[in-house]
């Protein structure tokens, strides 16, 4: 990973929204157009730290948010629908006075940000989805029950103390410093060393069901700002074909959409933050034109 100028430090704090609940954010100061970074399902804002460092070093204000029920944020009222999470992001922009930020999401967060940009057409200047935005669970699984059966997370609390950390450490070997701690922040660690996801199982299922019930392409024509898709190469067979078809369909629907395929892991924003940041900065330049 290349050397970048020293970025402003991260300020982590909670933001109370008008609806009454709080979201945890990780901010870096900057005078340039802001970026709002949104994580994926059962993830957290710390996975964006490398990307935010590069964006802030380039002069931009950057806010990475723990979505409701995730990371250090509150669970709110238990509503995990697109109505709720899109409203959260729009309200967060108002409270933090983020003026037309570039909105960026990964995986499920990619679906969230494109839906949010379609619903709040004047709130954002650009939108990007990293290996997401085109995830159509309704096409992959005939029923929501089958989708949940396929995507239900394992019972990590049944694992021996330290086992999960070892597994995650192997999965991020060779990644930038801090990658292991960022992934471990998805989990609540008990005093005896056992871990379990910070996102409750009920909330996880609610999100999967919302994804199954929502056509991610239905409102893409309403995204009236430049859009960037950053899908990740890899996989084979039906899964890879479905991803490629999803990207193609998104490009047909988005009025001003472009796609750049990346090499790497699904969490490529954590694995290759400099590469992802470069593409986001290019989107920022495109927005200004």
């Amino acid at each position: 990973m290349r050397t970048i100028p020293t970025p402003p430090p991260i300020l982590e704090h909670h933001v109370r929204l008008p609806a009454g609940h709080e979201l945890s954010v990780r901010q870096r100061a900057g005078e340039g157009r802001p970026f709002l970074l949104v994580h994926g399902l059962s993830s957290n804002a710390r996975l964006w730290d490398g990307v935010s460092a590069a964006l802030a070093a380039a002069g931009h204000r950057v806010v990475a948010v723990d979505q409701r029920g995730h990371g250090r944020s509150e669970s709110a009222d238990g509503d995990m629908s697109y109505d709720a999470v899109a409203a959260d992001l729009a309200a967060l922009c108002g409270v933090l006075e983020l003026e037309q930020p570039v909105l960026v999401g990964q995986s499920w967060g990619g679906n969230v940000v494109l839906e949010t940009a379609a619903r709040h057409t004047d709130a954002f200047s650009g939108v990007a989805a990293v290996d997401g935005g085109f995830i159509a669970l309704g096409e992959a699984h005939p029923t929501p029950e089958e989708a949940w059966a396929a995507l239900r997370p394992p019972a990590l609390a049944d694992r021996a103390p330290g086992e999960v950390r070892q597994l995650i450490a192997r999965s991020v070997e060779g990644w930038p410093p801090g990658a292991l701690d960022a992934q471990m922040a998805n989990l609540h660690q008990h005093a005896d060393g056992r871990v379990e996801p910070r996102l409750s199982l009920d909330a996880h299922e609610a999100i999967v069901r919302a994804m199954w019930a929502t056509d991610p392409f239905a409102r893409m024509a309403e995204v009236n700002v430049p859009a960037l898709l950053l899908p990740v190469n890899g996989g084979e067979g039906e899964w890879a074909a479905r991803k490629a078809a999803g990207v193609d369909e998104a490009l047909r629907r988005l009025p001003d959409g472009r796609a750049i395929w990346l090499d790497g892991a699904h969490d490529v924003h954590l694995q290759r933050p400099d590469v992802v940041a470069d593409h986001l900065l290019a989107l920022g330049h495109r927005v200004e034109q």
Side-chain angles (χ1 to χ4, degrees), residues 8-156:
I10 292 173
L11 171 64
E12 184 175 26
H13 63 102
H14 282 78
V15 178
R16 182 168 292 278
L17 302 184
H21 59 283
E22 293 185 348
L23 298 181
S24 178
V25 299
R26 296 171 67 81
Q27 289 199 74
R28 296 187 196 264
E31 298 299 323
R33 182 180 294 278
F35 283 78
L36 177 56
L37 310 179
V38 182
H39 60 74
L41 175 56
S42 198
S43 187
N44 77 96
R46 290 186 61 175
L47 272 72
W48 288 109
D49 282 359
V51 172
S52 76
L55 296 176
H60 295 274
R61 182 183 177 191
V62 188
V63 176
V65 58
D66 282 331
Q67 296 199 74
R68 56 170 59 196
H70 292 77
R72 296 180 179 275
S73 288
E74 294 180 354
S75 60
D77 58 3
D79 184 357
M80 306 303 294
S81 67
Y82 282 100
D83 285 343
V85 294
D88 281 352
L89 296 181
L92 183 66
C93 288
V95 175
L96 293 180
E97 297 182 339
L98 298 177
E99 185 175 351
Q100 290 198 308
V102 177
L103 182 61
V104 185
Q106 187 264 347
S107 191
W108 165 64
N111 284 38
V112 169
V113 298
L114 284 170
E115 183 74 17
T116 303
R119 290 167 180 252
H120 302 274
T121 56
D122 296 326
F124 306 99
S125 59
V127 61
V130 180
D131 213 29
F134 46 78
I135 303 172
L137 293 187
E139 294 181 5
H141 304 282
T143 68
E145 289 74 24
E146 290 177 76
W148 176 235
L151 297 176
R152 179 175 179 143
L156 298 181

Side-chain angles (χ1 to χ4, degrees), residues 44-276:
N44 77 96
R46 290 186 61 175
L47 272 72
W48 288 109
D49 282 359
V51 172
S52 76
L55 296 176
H60 295 274
R61 182 183 177 191
V62 188
V63 176
V65 58
D66 282 331
Q67 296 199 74
R68 56 170 59 196
H70 292 77
R72 296 180 179 275
S73 288
E74 294 180 354
S75 60
D77 58 3
D79 184 357
M80 306 303 294
S81 67
Y82 282 100
D83 285 343
V85 294
D88 281 352
L89 296 181
L92 183 66
C93 288
V95 175
L96 293 180
E97 297 182 339
L98 298 177
E99 185 175 351
Q100 290 198 308
V102 177
L103 182 61
V104 185
Q106 187 264 347
S107 191
W108 165 64
N111 284 38
V112 169
V113 298
L114 284 170
E115 183 74 17
T116 303
R119 290 167 180 252
H120 302 274
T121 56
D122 296 326
F124 306 99
S125 59
V127 61
V130 180
D131 213 29
F134 46 78
I135 303 172
L137 293 187
E139 294 181 5
H141 304 282
T143 68
E145 289 74 24
E146 290 177 76
W148 176 235
L151 297 176
R152 179 175 179 143
L156 298 181
D158 295 338
R159 302 268 191 169
E163 181 183 358
V164 173
R165 185 178 181 88
Q166 292 173 0
L167 291 171
I168 295 176
R170 287 196 290 270
S171 74
V172 299
E173 187 174 353
W175 290 24
L180 174 58
D181 289 339
Q183 292 284 31
M184 289 300 296
N186 295 329
L187 308 172
H188 174 70
Q189 302 182 56
H190 296 280
D192 63 1
R194 294 179 303 110
V195 297
E196 59 185 341
R198 288 186 177 273
L199 181 70
S200 73
L201 192 63
D202 286 346
H204 198 131
E205 181 177 1
I207 292 171
V208 170
R209 288 179 175 273
M211 292 179 72
W212 182 89
T214 304
D215 178 358
F217 309 107
R219 302 189 67 167
M220 285 188 179
E222 301 170 51
V223 178
N224 62 354
V225 295
L228 174 65
L229 303 179
L230 295 174
V232 174
N233 287 305
E236 57 186 16
E238 183 181 354
W239 179 86
R242 185 178 293 114
K243 177 187 278 193
V247 173
D248 289 343
E249 181 63 20
L251 292 178
R252 281 193 290 270
R253 300 288 189 102
L254 291 165
D256 186 6
R258 300 179 188 178
I260 301 171
W261 287 83
L262 304 180
D263 293 324
H266 181 54
D267 288 332
V268 67
H269 59 315
L270 178 63
Q271 180 192 28
R272 305 183 69 196
D274 52 342
V275 172
V276 172

